[in-house]
Amino acid sequence: MANDVDTVVFEVKDRIAWVRFNRPDKRNAMSPTLNRAMMDVLDELEFRDDVGVLVLTGEGSAWTAGMDLKEYFRETESQGLKGTRKAQRESYGWWRRLRWYQKPTIAMVNGWCFGGGYGPLFACDLAFCANEAKFGLSEINWGILPGGGATKVAVELLPFRKAMYHAMLGEPVDGKTAADWGLVNESLPLAELEARVTAVAKVLLEKNPVALKATKDAVRRVGVMTYDEAEDYLVRAQEAANSYDNDGRKEGIRQFIDEKSYKPGLGAYDKSRKG
């Protein structure tokens, strides 16, 4: 089923929600209207039973070229601080929502990913791009720093010297370089991109969804913790996950030990069965 929210469209197929930025004539630049539409779409899809994975991509030749300079900056700044803060809440709000989303998320970067696009890029759990894609922190080229979390994203994903070069020079890099640097998991020809993302999504669909959510959150949380803090957090996180699904892990262990029907190192247990 397709949803026409003007600046954002989506389709759910085989439990994968394909969400697309839909301003191809503007290289999918994020306007306040698009940001509000994204929050609505995320709300609609998050707890649907027919959605197991969300893929975020773009219509046309871009993923997103970042913030719309006219609509996001000039027009909101003309409204004073009130307009600026409102626009920031709307954009940062859906990126934050996406970072902690209930379902696994994949960025499928089909083209340009610039500036503010690093917010949703980092918010997605996994990221795959086309070799033809271009990544850049272009803010320095028109006189501001990479804001909206973009500098933090660069420091989180890149080695220090690469992050500094990337932010200060404003030069775009291609998909292969983005993969080498760690901005994405993999880069491959555009013609193969959707098939690869679909294959990854199907693997995720086989996993225990409660365990996936706990794992997503753990990977994001523990990076700023000491080892002892992380150890304690992970114990508590598993105990919390057990309260939502106390049978899943037991079934996985049963299938491995008693039935010997699968090997945890090679794949997931069969979620559809219970002993």
Side-chain angles (χ1 to χ4, degrees):
M1 163 182 157
N3 182 49
D4 260 348
V5 188
D6 193 19
T7 54
V8 179
V9 295
F10 75 81
E11 181 181 16
V12 177
K13 184 178 180 182
D14 298 327
R15 302 195 66 232
I16 303 171
W18 298 89
V19 179
R20 290 179 168 83
F21 298 121
N22 190 38
R23 302 184 75 207
D25 56 322
K26 300 292 186 181
R27 289 196 171 94
N28 297 324
M30 291 179 285
S31 64
T33 301
L34 182 146
N35 291 329
R36 287 190 291 270
M38 275 300 312
M39 186 65 88
D40 290 341
V41 168
L42 293 179
D43 282 345
E44 181 167 345
L45 295 172
E46 188 165 21
F47 294 100
R48 277 179 47 164
D49 292 337
D50 63 338
V51 174
V53 175
L54 185 148
V55 176
L56 181 59
T57 189
E59 292 284 359
S61 62
W63 195 64
T64 175
M67 293 309 198
D68 187 305
L69 300 192
K70 178 176 179 289
E71 295 185 39
Y72 183 84
F73 287 101
R74 176 179 286 177
E75 292 181 4
T76 58
E77 288 172 1
S78 70
Q79 302 167 31
L81 186 60
K82 178 181 177 181
T84 298
R85 289 290 182 261
K86 183 174 185 291
Q88 290 169 340
R89 283 195 305 272
E90 290 172 341
S91 57
Y92 303 169
W94 79 260
W95 301 347
R96 186 178 303 113
R97 179 71 179 280
L98 190 60
R99 283 200 302 276
W100 304 106
Y101 209 58
Q102 187 69 27
K103 309 292 174 62
T105 57
I106 303 173
M108 187 173 83
V109 184
N110 53 301
W112 286 30
C113 176
F114 279 73
Y118 281 41
L121 176 70
F122 181 65
C124 289
D125 304 319
L126 302 173
F128 297 82
C129 77
N131 295 338
E132 298 89 334
K134 297 293 182 185
F135 294 79
L137 294 178
S138 56
E139 288 87 345
I140 194 68
N141 293 332
W142 53 282
I144 70 168
L145 60 82
T151 299
K152 174 64 172 172
V153 171
V155 173
E156 284 285 318
L157 298 181
L158 305 178
F160 174 81
R161 291 298 178 195
K162 284 186 168 58
M164 192 68 83
Y165 186 95
H166 199 49
M168 291 181 68
L169 273 293
E171 297 175 354
V173 299
D174 63 16
K176 288 184 176 180
T177 303
D180 289 343
W181 284 9
L183 283 169
V184 297
N185 293 95
E186 296 177 22
S187 179
L188 55 162
L190 179 61
E192 301 172 17
L193 181 60
E194 185 171 334
R196 175 60 176 144
V197 169
T198 301
V200 172
K202 287 181 176 178
V203 172
L204 292 173
L205 289 171
E206 296 175 357
K207 311 298 184 186
N208 181 304
V210 173
L212 276 176
K213 171 59 174 166
T215 299
K216 283 159 44 84
D217 291 355
V219 171
R220 290 193 185 274
R221 293 290 188 197
V222 300
V224 295
M225 298 179 184
T226 66
Y227 188 91
D228 286 343
E229 290 168 342
E231 194 175 68
D232 184 66
Y233 167 83
L234 293 168
V235 168
R236 308 305 170 199
Q238 183 60 63
E239 290 171 350
N242 293 348
S243 71
Y244 286 102
D245 177 28
N246 197 36
D247 296 326
R249 63 193 173 88
K250 293 179 180 178
E251 177 59 19
I253 292 172
R254 188 192 70 78
Q255 289 180 23
F256 172 58
I257 295 178
D258 300 334
E259 291 186 353
K260 297 181 173 52
S261 58
Y262 86 112
K263 296 179 180 179
L266 301 178
Y269 75 94
D270 186 346
K271 303 193 309 293
S272 67
R273 296 172 50 224
K274 291 186 179 180

